[in-house]
Amino acid sequence: MMLLEHQGKAELAARGIPVPRGYLATTPEEAAAAARQLGGPAVVKAQIPAGGRGKAGGIILVDDPEAAQAAAAKLLGHTLLKHPVQAVLVEERIAIARELFLGLAVDPASAGYLALFSSEGGVNIEEVAARTPERVRKVWLDPLQGLPAGADRQLFEGLVEPAVARRLNEVLQTLYEVFTGRDAIIAEINPLAVLADGRLVAADCRMEVDEDALYRQADLKAIKEAQMDERERLAQAIGVTYVGMDGDVGLIASGAGLGMASLDMLKLAGLEPANFLDTGGGINRELMRRAVHLTLGPDNVRGELINLYGGINPMVEAALGIVDALKEMPERKPLVVKLLGNREAEAWAILEAEGVAVCKVVRTEEAAQTLASLLRAREEAGR
Ligand code: GDP
Ligand code: MN
């Protein structure tokens, strides 16, 4: 789960890493009031769960409250990097002498943590890393050992003056506390601004938290729950896992592995998934009915693949639930159900009686191709 900049900065500030003074605003008027309160030049920053805002026009420097209001009006209610902007952070504009990059991340490859530092932080850090990898220092850390003495030297020595390196080490120690204390996957400060007098200020913060740890991070869990959209909330109410995507074909699978393989098969058949719902092992008629509404119901979804295996899951119940949902829907969209396992023949008969295309073989490729041709046929008929 990605925190917004202001939420990440609150984590940093709570442990003592300096951040600019600022206020969150959800209307242009609030933004103007925030700028007035700050008094002086400000920055208006779109709060979306994505990096690269600066280059996309989501960071606007302003000199007075009127300009802050106009900047907020330009951002709020619009879409930036595919995310709706619902709030802006209005901060005092700090005079940045130099932009550094400091980050900690979980590194699956080494089954440990990775600390990253660059003396060339800012919006071009990706290019710096790609073109001049030697300018991005990396130190691998053992989670069981904590931050070893000397990590600071490996990261900073030779890249910044000793006085800055000392201050950087303080920020590193604190960032490590934030990172581990909050079960983060990524905690990154870019830019970590050096002011003219040498002080360090976190001008941005990108923090991603491990959702599996939210059980012990009650306040972050509340943030997550507030972030969920209507469909994710519905999925939680049904007790299934739901992931929204950008495409237009729905997918229900009775397991995460089966689902991920099915996503690949849909792609190979030239289709773009709109969602993926994993029923897990708790299928019943009502769960299935609601799952079909959730995934196939939205206007942007053209059709659906349902891929079920009945080991512990009752396939007859599943078929009945699918049919219940179809009867309640205003429109029949192309649907292919691949269903194997316990009492499969009975389940197939229930679906076929309702005119549903049933795939009776193990190969999900065939189900995906059938769906692709149904969609194509429908498109051609509509022309
Ligand atoms: P990102 O593009 O989403 O990473 O957004 P950032 O918060 O990192 O802002 C992008 C860039 O805007 C930074 O690298 C700075 O150059 C600039 N910026 C952000 N805040 C300030 C500020 O308070 N003062 C100044 N002078 N520049 C800022
Ligand atoms: Mn940034």
Side-chain angles (χ1 to χ4, degrees):
M1 148 199 185
M2 182 110 164
L3 297 187
L4 296 173
E5 175 190 9
H6 74 92
Q7 294 162 338
K9 279 178 165 167
E11 297 294 327
L12 301 182
R15 307 237 181 187
I17 296 177
V19 302
R21 280 190 307 137
Y23 303 96
L24 199 64
T26 55
T27 65
E29 293 71 31
E30 278 175 25
R36 211 167 293 123
Q37 188 72 30
L38 292 166
V43 195
V44 178
K45 312 181 80 177
Q47 299 299 288
I48 51 169
R53 296 166 302 159
K55 287 190 170 175
I59 309 289
I60 304 176
L61 305 184
V62 297
D63 290 322
D64 51 54
E66 289 68 42
Q69 179 158 351
K74 215 168 138 191
L75 296 172
L76 288 166
H78 293 91
T79 300
L80 186 69
L81 299 164
K82 293 190 176 171
H83 297 279
V85 182
Q86 289 165 339
V88 294
L89 178 62
V90 183
E91 280 188 338
E92 62 174 329
R93 188 147 104 220
I94 51 171
I96 303 180
R98 191 167 173 198
E99 300 194 338
L100 310 176
F101 175 105
L102 182 65
L104 288 165
V106 168
D107 178 45
S110 66
Y113 300 153
L114 183 58
L116 290 140
F117 174 73
S118 176
S119 52
E120 285 165 68
V123 296
N124 293 319
I125 187 67
E126 272 85 12
E127 283 146 45
V128 172
R131 291 210 192 120
T132 48
E134 69 280 3
R135 295 192 188 162
V136 181
R137 291 261 176 93
K138 293 181 183 173
V139 174
W140 279 267
L141 307 172
D142 179 347
L144 299 179
Q145 301 291 316
L147 205 52
D152 58 323
R153 233 176 310 114
Q154 291 178 60
L155 283 170
F156 311 134
E157 204 168 66
L159 291 182
V160 293
E161 316 72 276
V164 175
R166 266 194 302 281
R167 288 187 160 122
L168 268 169
N169 189 30
E170 284 167 24
V171 175
L172 174 66
Q173 302 292 331
T174 314
L175 187 63
Y176 190 85
E177 283 172 27
V178 173
F179 177 76
T180 53
R182 294 307 246 160
D183 292 304
I185 302 167
I186 294 172
E188 185 183 287
I189 306 174
N190 181 38
L192 177 54
V194 187
L195 307 186
D197 62 8
R199 276 184 301 136
L200 299 178
V201 176
D204 187 14
C205 177
R206 179 172 156 224
M207 195 162 150
E208 224 175 304
V209 173
D210 183 352
E211 289 187 15
D212 290 327
L214 290 180
Y215 72 94
R216 59 183 184 195
Q217 304 286 357
D219 48 347
L220 297 179
K221 190 173 178 194
I223 291 178
K224 168 71 195 172
E225 275 163 6
Q227 277 180 4
M228 291 196 308
D229 65 22
E230 184 204 349
R231 304 208 157 268
E232 288 169 325
R233 248 179 263 283
L234 272 170
Q236 195 181 51
I238 305 173
V240 295
T241 307
Y242 171 90
V243 184
M245 276 167 280
D246 294 336
D248 55 13
V249 171
L251 172 66
I252 297 176
S254 61
L258 185 64
M260 282 189 278
S262 305
L263 289 173
D264 288 347
M265 305 297 175
L266 287 173
K267 283 265 192 186
L268 286 173
L271 302 176
E272 293 296 329
N275 55 53
F276 162 38
L277 186 152
D278 172 13
T279 66
I283 289 182
N284 58 48
R285 183 170 179 167
E286 175 61 7
L287 180 149
M288 219 46 218
R289 185 186 73 81
R290 294 167 77 185
V292 172
H293 277 296
L294 178 58
T295 51
L296 184 58
D299 288 340
N300 66 311
V301 179
R302 295 191 295 139
E304 174 156 292
L305 171 65
I306 300 181
N307 197 356
L308 307 177
Y309 179 71
I312 46 174
N313 274 318
M315 293 295 99
V316 169
E317 290 278 310
L320 289 170
I322 294 168
V323 169
D324 288 345
L326 294 179
K327 285 185 170 156
E328 289 161 356
M329 293 180 133
E331 177 197 5
R332 278 298 164 97
K333 299 178 186 176
L335 169 67
V336 176
V337 180
K338 190 195 118 188
L339 168 162
L340 298 168
N342 71 53
R343 294 167 68 191
E344 59 187 21
E346 275 172 74
W348 294 339
I350 290 165
L351 293 165
E352 283 173 336
E354 200 50 38
V356 177
V358 178
C359 173
K360 301 174 182 174
V361 297
V362 169
R363 288 167 50 82
T364 296
E365 290 93 323
E366 291 196 15
Q369 273 147 18
T370 305
L371 180 59
S373 34
L374 288 177
L375 288 166
R376 221 175 302 120
R378 186 176 217 208
E379 219 168 81
E380 275 155 19
R383 268 204 214 109

